[in-house]
């Protein structure tokens, strides 16, 4: 089992930055593929980014490419999502997810999920 806890959400203004963190426990963190997803109000959950077990591979949705950066600290079991140039359309509940196999954007292949953290961007 893997337990995931997100933190760092909040209310910011358009153009601001925010950094989310996802702390993992229960399994060797460096063996996990990690991803971030979000669910905007009234919309379906969408994939944002994935980082491979060693951080060598990072993948981003077009909607956040160039503005968001994912990274990981395997020594401390934490994944980060640096969000810059935030827009109102980035408002959503953000979830981190973990997989024990190589996976990118399919949420069905991530068996482990955090509880989510709210990010609200005002215009």
């Amino acid at each position: 089992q893997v337990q995931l806890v997100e933190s760092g959400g909040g209310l910011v203004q358009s153009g601001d930055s925010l950094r989310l963190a996802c702390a993992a426990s229960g399994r060797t963190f460096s063996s996990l593929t990690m991803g971030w997803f979000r669910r905007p109000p009234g919309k379906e959950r969408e994939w944002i980014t994935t980082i491979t077990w060693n951080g060598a591979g990072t993948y981003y949705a077009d909607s956040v490419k160039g503005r968001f950066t994912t990274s990981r600290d395997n020594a401390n079991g934490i994944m980060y999502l640096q969000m810059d140039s935030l827009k109102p359309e980035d408002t959503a509940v953000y979830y981190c997810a973990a997989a024990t196999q190589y996976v990118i954007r399919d949420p069905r292949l991530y068996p482990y999920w955090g509880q989510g953290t709210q990010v609200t961007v005002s215009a």
Side-chain angles (χ1 to χ4, degrees):
Q1 289 294 322
V2 177
Q3 293 77 44
L4 303 173
V5 179
E6 302 96 337
S7 61
L11 172 64
V12 296
Q13 294 185 329
S14 181
D16 285 351
S17 297
L18 203 60
R19 189 175 78 158
L20 305 183
C22 172
S25 61
R27 191 182 178 109
T28 303
F29 183 69
S30 60
S31 69
L32 300 171
T33 297
M34 300 295 296
W36 286 100
F37 293 77
R38 67 185 181 187
R39 186 188 297 273
K43 297 184 179 180
E44 296 293 317
R45 178 178 53 187
E46 61 184 25
W47 170 78
I48 300 173
T49 178
T50 294
I51 185 167
T52 56
W53 66 274
N54 59 357
T58 53
Y59 310 89
Y60 296 93
D62 288 343
S63 59
V64 305
K65 194 174 296 182
R67 299 189 298 122
F68 290 13
T69 304
T70 187
S71 60
R72 63 191 297 162
D73 177 353
N74 281 353
N76 292 297
I78 303 175
M79 174 178 64
Y80 298 100
L81 182 65
Q82 177 66 41
M83 303 186 294
D84 298 321
S85 302
L86 282 162
K87 306 175 182 179
E89 50 263 44
D90 294 318
T91 295
V93 178
Y94 284 70
Y95 300 90
C96 65
T100 57
Q101 60 182 340
Y102 177 75
V103 59
I104 297 180
R105 67 182 68 212
D106 189 343
R108 297 171 297 178
L109 299 181
Y110 288 86
Y112 307 108
W113 293 81
Q115 83 288 350
T117 185
Q118 177 71 46
V119 172
T120 303
V121 185
S122 63

